[in-house]
Amino acid sequence: MGELDGRVVAIAGASGGLGPSVAKRLAAGGARIAGVDRSEEHLAALRAELGLPDDRFDARVVDLLDEQAAHEWAVDLRERFGRVDALLHLVGGWRGGQPLAEAPLSDYEWLHDLLVRTVQHTTRAFHDALIESDHGRFVLVSSSQAQKPENANAAYAAAKAAAESWTLALADSFKDSAATANIIVVNAILTPRMRQENPDKDYPTFTSAEQIAEAIAFVCSDAAAKMNGKRLSLHP
């Protein structure tokens, strides 16, 4: 038996750059994986990579910008598995590189939808399920830019900061329950694909997907039951 044996983990952004590493680690700990993404093809590849039986894997294409769709996802999972024990927000994306006085504000609007609105919709949809679980967990993967914003990344930093504030408010809503909400902070993520494409390149300020997956497994475990409303920094 693993430390997460039988727990139902919902993953938003399950087949992105980070998602497969996290799903693999949690599945190895005994968790049942319920992943959503925007690509049926990517989800099929994740299913093949994990090799889990049907009673331990659920994959769906869900538009997380549609609050009703996010709500229906949560309801469907509770009907299928009886409960949901954790919700991981791994939806990522970036736009930036221009000074804030020159960058188009449309970048912020795009980032807000991707990095904030999806957090709002998923946390509202799964809020009650996490409170009802004896092991309810919400984990947001965020960026150090949220705390130390740079001129050329103002829109990205502002969106990440908003998502962090929402997560800390969620943690406050959990204070009288066993559920927790925490943030894992990195500078940038080194994915398996990046390492494969550039095996000799050094990434001194990056955190590997495998290291992030280990941190998420810890936060989801009973060892972190008292950790709520915290930032876990995995960067220099």
Side-chain angles (χ1 to χ4, degrees), residues 79-120:
E79 289 180 353
R80 177 176 180 187
F81 294 113
R83 67 182 194 277
V84 177
D85 300 297
L87 170 64
L88 313 180
H89 191 276
L90 309 184
V91 178
W94 178 83
R95 282 184 183 175
Q98 295 176 271
L100 65 84
E102 301 173 10
L105 289 179
S106 59
D107 282 358
Y108 177 77
E109 294 168 1
W110 182 82
L111 288 163
H112 181 271
D113 277 350
L114 189 68
L115 305 177
V116 183
R117 191 68 70 195
T118 57
V119 172
Q120 294 172 328

Side-chain angles (χ1 to χ4, degrees), residues 18 23 92 146:
L18 175 60

Side-chain angles (χ1 to χ4, degrees), residues 36-38 60-70 118 121:
V36 299
D37 213 297
R38 294 179 295 184
R60 308 164 187 238
V61 173
V62 177
D63 180 5
L64 297 179
L65 291 178
D66 181 337
E67 186 167 20
Q68 182 60 33
T118 57
H121 288 171

